[in-house]
Amino acid sequence: MMFHSVRDDVRPPAARRLRHLAAAGLFAALAIPLTWPLVLHLSTHVPGTGPDDNLQFLWNFWWMREALATGLPGYFHTPYLFHPDGVDLVLHTHNAMNSFVGATLLGSMSLPAAMNLTILAGCALNGFSAYLLAHRLSQRWLASVLAGVFFAAHPSTFKHLFGQFGLYSEWGLVLFAYALLEALDRRGWFWPIVTGVSLAVVVYIDYYYFVYAITFAACVLAHRWFGIGITRTSWTKPAGTDHVLAAIATAAAAAAVVIAATGGFAAELGPLRVSLRSGMNLRALSTAAALCWLWRRWRPTPTAQFTRGVAAHDLRVVGVACLLCALFIAPVLEAALAVWRAGQYVSQVYFWRSAPAGMDAGALVLGNPFNAFWGQPVTWLYSALGVFAFDGPAWLGVAPLVLLATRSSWAGARSRLWLLVSAVFFLWALGPYLLLFGINTGLPMPGILLRFIPIVSNARIPGRAVVFVVLATAMLLALAAASSSRLRATGRVAALLALVLVDFWPRELPLHHLETPKIYEQLALLPAGGLLEIPLGIRDSFGEEGRIDTNVMYFQSVHRKPIVGGYVSRIPPSIRQTFTDSPVLQALLKLSAGDVRGAPNVTGDDVRDFMRRAGVKYVAIDTRIATAQVRSLVLSMPLTLLGRDERRQLYRIE
């Protein structure tokens, strides 16, 4: 089959379907090497360097099966964690969409195999969905394949395989973007309905992606209603103001370097105290002056013109999609409303200089830290500069530089939307302050204001917004590749495709081996009752109290007993209050963390009485990581040994 550069919209429908089928097969095959060697260990391993978020997502799959099988009232509340109260899961990264597939279509398979297959399918869908969106824009098969490979293999996508499996399902965002653009460009009800359903799918994939989808829709509507664009004048000769700005930028930067080298100073000038210790304000001044200098030389001017007829049509489409989405996500809305009414909504407490950092703009030129061939030296470079590879990474590859270096490659009308999307999400991903090669320049970015927007503020890691920067870049890449003349297009795009594969080819995916201690298989056969895991810990995205071994989340899928602690994305205030108010739980948490002085003074009888009231019948002690103090307290209870191995002991509380 020849995939030359003739536009596919002039081909017969059967030929177009055949080419789409070929692309689907290509991305299904590509999923295996991009996640290698996962396919060889579907039932015994999960992606990740060790037990962490990966086992939390595996627990999600188990809980979906348990909820569907036992008919428990509502998936978004589980009694199995934080026993005996249980915990709401509406703010948890529940990954309900993939978990539902694992409990239904893949319900006959083991938990690890079901989750790993959804990961492989997600990799294929990431590429194929981006291919479909690019094909809608370019109508060129090979250029669309290039965009799909770019999106599926990008290092910012690969990094989610280290534990954030919900974020790996980027295909939901792409399908929503495709459906929305189709709905706005066509008449009828079909595509608005598909848009609403796809937005609901995004809600059930990940909270972040719902926020990003709404932001993308706002960008699309703004582009359609106002025709947003930017014009610029040619570079001008520097004026006096430009020289002043350049001098300020240089002087402030030099002073910041001196402060960094000497530690700065503090002085008192009469009633005033002047302190220059960090140099952050000077860095902010230097960066702001440099940007003002660039703005004066470039003179960008935004343009916009409101189109009333387009807006009326688009509002009808968006209204239908929103109503249908609300219908499908009614369980989430109901659970979220209950959490809000009960005062259990949890969000991060932000401070001006302590908010989570965004991706480092300097990483745009540092390279791919996950590359199979030269990733290790790049990782060393990231480490030397203090750049965190997992907050982006911002590397967009060599191929976009090759095609987008000339204005003719991206200046068309079809490219303007994707330029707007890439700009909005790039600014978002930069976070509250501009980071450059590991240095906080102190320059506030627009993202610093997102903390004041309800709902959006809970998407607290700015660097994850890079997903739409990558998607927009993939679309621009396809449009630029499709603009080549027919005689040279195929060879040029094939060379770019090879360049993307070499640039983005990932290193071997680290896998964590799942092992089930015999004591948990034994516990599964015992009568119902709560389990106290020692060491005891509670954990969410904001931190950990005590000490929790994330393996206990997987072990619960074996013994099926509720546990006292747990790990969810957001711990409601009432749960934290319960652990704070109880001297027994506080003692267990403090001693598990090795904080002997901060632990309340309780006895084994106190612990036994508390556990009896809570319905806890069993204790499992990990002797390798439990401190001597917490083991001494727990073993002072009247216990009966039920089983042990080289690391763990299982007891019944008498």
Side-chain angles (χ1 to χ4, degrees):
M1 183 182 299
M2 295 296 293
F3 296 109
H4 51 80
S5 60
V6 175
R7 289 179 60 89
D8 282 347
D9 53 358
V10 301
R11 297 179 184 275
R16 292 199 298 270
R17 287 193 293 270
L18 183 60
R19 292 161 72 83
H20 290 335
L21 185 61
L26 172 66
F27 288 109
L30 186 62
I32 294 177
L34 288 182
T35 59
W36 188 263
L38 182 61
V39 71
L40 302 179
H41 308 279
L42 293 178
S43 297
T44 57
H45 293 68
V46 293
T49 56
D52 201 355
D53 291 345
N54 48 3
L55 298 188
Q56 185 192 57
F57 280 90
L58 189 61
W59 181 90
N60 291 338
F61 275 67
W62 170 77
W63 168 238
M64 178 63 79
R65 291 186 178 186
E66 191 73 13
L68 294 179
T70 60
L72 292 173
Y75 171 77
F76 293 101
H77 180 89
T78 178
Y80 280 88
L81 300 177
F82 301 95
H83 180 76
D85 297 326
V87 64
D88 289 310
L89 300 177
V90 66
L91 296 178
H92 173 61
T93 51
H94 45 72
N95 197 20
M97 182 66 198
N98 289 331
S99 299
F100 183 77
V101 172
T104 53
L105 295 179
L106 305 177
S108 61
M109 307 185 71
S110 67
L111 279 176
M115 187 179 76
N116 288 332
L117 282 177
T118 63
I119 291 173
L120 285 167
C123 183
L125 288 172
N126 287 342
F128 185 61
S129 60
Y131 157 85
L132 290 176
L133 184 59
H135 193 272
R136 180 187 182 277
L137 296 172
S138 68
Q139 292 298 321
R140 295 289 199 276
W141 190 87
L142 195 56
S144 303
V145 168
L146 171 65
V149 172
F150 181 92
F151 187 69
H154 192 272
S156 70
T157 302
F158 178 77
K159 74 181 178 67
H160 294 315
L161 288 174
F162 286 77
Q164 291 293 332
F165 303 143
L167 294 172
Y168 191 69
S169 297
E170 297 172 345
W171 54 267
L173 279 177
V174 186
L175 292 181
F176 168 75
Y178 185 99
L180 177 64
L181 295 175
E182 285 288 314
L184 295 175
D185 286 347
R186 296 174 181 266
R187 300 289 176 177
W189 296 101
F190 176 76
W191 284 108
I193 291 174
V194 175
T195 302
V197 173
S198 61
L199 182 58
V201 169
V202 170
V203 172
Y204 286 113
I205 288 177
D206 195 274
Y207 180 92
Y208 278 81
Y209 285 174
F210 171 70
V211 176
Y212 296 161
I214 297 302
T215 306
F216 171 77
C219 291
V220 172
L221 295 179
H223 173 73
R224 288 173 58 86
W225 296 357
F226 300 101
I228 295 176
I230 295 179
T231 60
R232 68 176 179 88
T233 59
S234 58
W235 289 85
T236 59
K237 293 183 63 176
T241 304
D242 298 307
H243 293 307
V244 172
L245 288 171
I248 292 174
T250 304
V257 171
V258 171
I259 289 175
T262 63
F265 68 92
E268 294 185 0
L269 301 176
L272 299 177
R273 177 177 174 81
V274 179
S275 177
L276 290 175
R277 294 294 189 186
S278 68
M280 184 171 179
N281 292 331
L282 288 172
R283 295 195 300 270
L285 176 62
S286 175
T287 308
L291 291 177
C292 288
W293 183 86
L294 287 172
W295 179 83
R296 285 179 54 81
R297 300 294 308 280
W298 183 29
R299 300 287 185 180
T301 303
T303 60
Q305 184 176 2
F306 183 67
T307 308
R308 185 181 303 274
V310 173
H313 164 71
D314 291 354
L315 286 175
R316 289 192 294 269
V317 170
V318 171
V320 171
C322 289
L323 287 174
L324 195 62
C325 175
L327 178 64
F328 277 98
I329 67 170
V332 179
L333 294 177
E334 181 182 1
L337 184 60
V339 166
W340 178 75
R341 283 178 173 174
Q344 300 301 305
Y345 181 81
V346 183
S347 185
Q348 182 174 6
V349 178
Y350 289 98
F351 300 96
W352 283 110
R353 293 190 179 181
S354 63
M359 68 181 188
D360 195 306
L364 286 169
V365 298
L366 292 181
N368 177 11
F370 305 121
N371 185 273
F373 310 112
W374 53 78
Q376 192 61 51
V378 174
T379 301
W380 291 338
L381 182 59
Y382 271 66
S383 179
L385 294 173
V387 178
F388 187 47
F390 285 86
D391 277 346
W395 174 250
L396 293 178
V398 177
L401 300 178
V402 172
L403 274 183
L404 305 181
T406 59
R407 188 176 186 276
S408 60
S409 297
W410 53 263
R414 291 180 298 171
S415 302
R416 290 172 188 162
L417 168 63
W418 298 105
L419 289 171
L420 173 63
V421 170
S422 63
V424 169
F425 281 91
F426 184 76
L427 288 174
W428 189 342
L430 289 177
Y433 293 97
L434 178 64
L435 299 177
L436 194 62
F437 300 112
I439 299 174
N440 186 343
T441 66
L443 182 69
M445 303 302 296
I448 201 171
L449 302 176
L450 295 180
R451 68 190 70 186
F452 301 112
I453 303 176
I455 307 301
V456 175
S457 62
N458 230 349
R460 67 186 194 92
I461 306 298
R464 292 174 180 175
V466 77
V467 58
F468 260 116
V469 180
V470 176
L471 180 63
T473 304
M475 297 305 105
L476 293 170
L477 200 61
L479 289 171
S483 66
S484 302
S485 65
R486 180 183 301 180
L487 293 177
R488 58 177 180 169
T490 301
R492 185 183 185 189
V493 178
L496 285 170
L497 180 59
L499 180 61
V500 168
L501 285 172
V502 172
D503 189 7
F504 289 172
W505 198 257
R507 67 191 191 212
E508 189 172 285
L509 182 65
L511 300 178
H512 169 63
H513 183 225
L514 296 170
E515 295 180 296
T516 304
K518 295 296 184 181
I519 65 166
Y520 292 107
E521 296 178 357
Q522 180 183 356
L523 180 58
L525 304 176
L526 297 177
L531 171 66
L532 173 64
E533 290 276 5
I534 298 297
L536 175 65
I538 61 174
R539 177 182 171 186
D540 66 2
S541 300
F542 300 143
E544 177 178 317
E545 294 183 51
R547 181 173 182 180
I548 184 171
D549 176 11
T550 319
N551 279 306
V552 303
M553 303 290 286
Y554 169 62
F555 297 156
Q556 189 176 59
S557 68
V558 177
H559 62 71
R560 300 181 65 224
K561 301 289 191 299
I563 62 176
V564 176
Y567 174 24
V568 292
S569 300
R570 300 288 188 272
I571 298 177
S574 61
I575 299 295
R576 289 196 180 276
Q577 194 63 43
T578 297
F579 278 79
T580 300
D581 293 343
S582 168
V584 168
L585 293 177
Q586 272 296 295
L588 292 173
L589 288 175
K590 295 290 186 181
L591 294 177
S592 294
D595 182 7
V596 179
R597 292 185 178 182
N601 186 20
V602 298
T603 66
D605 289 338
D606 296 330
V607 178
R608 177 196 59 186
D609 293 341
F610 180 88
M611 294 303 162
R612 179 185 297 164
R613 291 193 301 270
V616 177
K617 296 183 179 180
Y618 307 102
V619 178
I621 301 177
D622 187 334
T623 59
R624 187 175 301 177
I625 62 175
T627 64
Q629 293 81 7
V630 74
R631 278 187 286 161
S632 176
L633 175 60
V634 171
L635 292 175
S636 67
M637 289 191 292
L639 301 173
T640 299
L641 180 65
L642 300 178
R644 67 191 310 161
D645 56 27
E646 66 280 359
R647 176 171 177 174
R648 293 177 175 84
Q649 302 166 352
L650 176 64
Y651 296 91
R652 181 177 64 243
I653 302 176
E654 294 300 335

